[in-house]
Amino acid sequence: MAGHKFHWNDWCPGCGNFGILSAEQQAITELGITNNTVIVGGIGCSGKLSQYTRIPVSGVHTLHGRAIPFAVGIKLANPSLEVIVNGGDGDLLGIGAGHFVSVGRRNVDIVVILHNNGVYGLTKGQAAPTLFRGMKTKSLPRPNINDAINPVTLALASGYTFVARAYAYDVPHLKEIIKQAIKHKGLAFVDILQPCPTYNDINTKEWYDKRVYKMQDMDPVVKSESEMQEKLKKAIDKSYEWGERIPIGIFYKNELVPTYEERIKTSAPSYYDNYPAEQKIEYEKKLTTIIDPLLEERKVAEDN
């Protein structure tokens, strides 16, 4: 998809995705990684982001809830790439919740961006996993009876080593958060508060504008292993602040944990020099990706 051009867009007028798209494009461009970036999306309005970019990045539109394992596969096959996942709250925290948690154990050097609007916008506004119990948006016949997942708390508890929250309508701040997430050595997560003007008539732009504020009192960077638990606990405590005041910014950043790629290198020292995407698929004029002839050649002869 690299080099493709933008033609049209079917996001609703005023959708928070426009701010996310703009900030992500600016971040990638300013970091000078346009030709080395892959954007991976699942199903939902967020999954279309890679199709609407006007910069020469590559994009993969995957199955519902499966964007993270696709991204991990791309990164491990070619660790020189910058891989960014874009998913909605339903995609990443509903059907994809298992992958969202499991990847935290591995600290793969990718970025996971959550488009958090509380509803399934593409399918007419059903309650998503981040919608609070008792809330009744205009598309729900009755108030939501399920409790909400706190994405920041879940990411911290799962092992993500960079965790931040941003706001889709504050594009300059969001751009800087995304840039820091990309530069982070390890698994990064950005929860983006993204109003859905069509189906969520509660968490609107006006509602968020009165509440979001930039954290000034947080020192999120872990500088030694001795302060790791203390910084993590403070970040989790802060993640529960919600209501009249909603903090945005970086909650936690820890580059002391080895990445999954570094862990692979301990058992395969040549991994970075000969990773899977760089390996030859032909040897002595034989395709190594078609194994049937190789198996036939090595088959043990039957005892006559």
Side-chain angles (χ1 to χ4, degrees):
M1 190 179 289
H4 73 289
K5 294 184 181 300
F6 169 82
H7 294 290
W8 63 279
N9 189 311
D10 65 356
W11 287 333
C12 302
C15 176
N17 279 342
F18 288 105
I20 300 174
L21 173 64
S22 177
E24 201 163 317
Q25 288 183 138
Q26 291 179 48
I28 292 169
T29 301
E30 290 182 12
L31 290 174
I33 55 172
T34 50
N35 292 314
N36 199 43
T37 296
V38 181
I39 295 177
V40 184
I43 300 300
C45 299
S46 60
K48 302 175 182 177
L49 188 138
S50 66
Q51 302 168 33
Y52 297 158
T53 57
R54 285 167 284 181
I55 56 177
V57 298
S58 296
V60 183
H61 200 167
T62 69
L63 302 174
H64 196 199
R66 308 297 179 235
I68 287 178
F70 265 87
V72 170
I74 292 168
K75 182 66 179 182
L76 297 185
N78 188 346
S80 71
L81 295 173
E82 298 290 347
V83 183
I84 303 172
V85 173
N86 279 268
D89 36 21
D91 196 35
L92 294 179
L93 300 180
I95 189 172
H99 299 303
F100 183 89
V101 171
S102 293
V103 74
R105 300 165 48 222
R106 302 185 173 96
N107 198 33
V108 183
D109 189 15
I110 63 174
V111 179
V112 178
I113 291 178
L114 176 70
H115 299 220
N116 182 355
N117 59 21
V119 295
Y120 287 82
L122 189 68
T123 53
K124 312 303 182 188
Q126 300 91 336
T130 55
L131 190 71
F132 284 84
R133 176 161 51 91
M135 288 179 62
K136 181 184 177 307
T137 59
K138 71 182 195 182
S139 62
L140 297 177
R142 297 183 179 84
N144 180 30
I145 62 172
N146 296 308
D147 285 315
I149 291 175
N150 183 326
V152 172
T153 310
L154 184 61
L156 290 165
S158 299
Y160 287 66
T161 51
F162 178 100
V163 179
R165 178 190 287 140
Y167 178 40
Y169 289 152
D170 188 343
V171 174
H173 179 259
L174 173 56
K175 177 198 69 176
E176 292 303 321
I177 291 290
I178 293 175
K179 285 173 67 176
Q180 294 191 54
I182 293 172
K183 291 192 290 185
H184 174 70
K185 183 175 73 77
L187 180 61
F189 171 66
V190 183
D191 174 30
I192 302 178
L193 306 174
Q194 177 233 340
C196 174
T198 302
Y199 294 112
N200 189 335
D201 56 344
I202 297 175
N203 305 123
T204 62
K205 178 182 183 299
E206 292 73 21
W207 190 89
Y208 278 123
D209 284 349
K210 296 176 183 175
R211 291 167 171 80
V212 295
Y213 74 95
K214 297 182 178 72
M215 290 185 285
Q216 303 292 334
D217 57 344
M218 285 288 290
D219 175 14
V221 181
V222 176
K223 302 177 185 67
S224 67
E225 291 190 2
S226 63
E227 63 178 20
M228 192 179 300
Q229 291 301 318
E230 178 190 352
K231 291 286 179 68
L232 182 60
K233 183 177 182 303
K234 286 183 177 178
I236 290 175
D237 289 344
K238 194 70 175 176
S239 73
Y240 282 105
E241 184 178 351
W242 187 269
E244 293 307 310
R245 284 171 57 81
I246 301 174
I248 59 175
I250 300 172
F251 287 75
Y252 186 73
K253 177 180 172 65
N254 181 3
E255 292 189 324
L256 302 180
V257 180
T259 67
Y260 195 65
E261 299 89 306
E262 291 170 336
R263 301 176 202 182
I264 291 175
K265 189 182 177 184
T266 61
S267 57
S270 63
Y271 172 62
Y272 283 105
D273 301 321
N274 190 28
Y275 44 82
E278 289 293 311
Q279 292 181 17
K280 295 179 179 178
I281 59 172
E282 180 182 296
Y283 180 71
E284 294 182 346
K285 298 184 179 180
K286 294 180 181 177
L287 294 175
T288 56
T289 54
I290 301 176
I291 64 172
D292 288 350
L294 297 174
L295 293 175
E296 183 67 24
E297 185 177 295
R298 287 162 174 73
K299 186 171 67 176
V300 177
E302 295 181 5
D303 186 2
N304 295 322

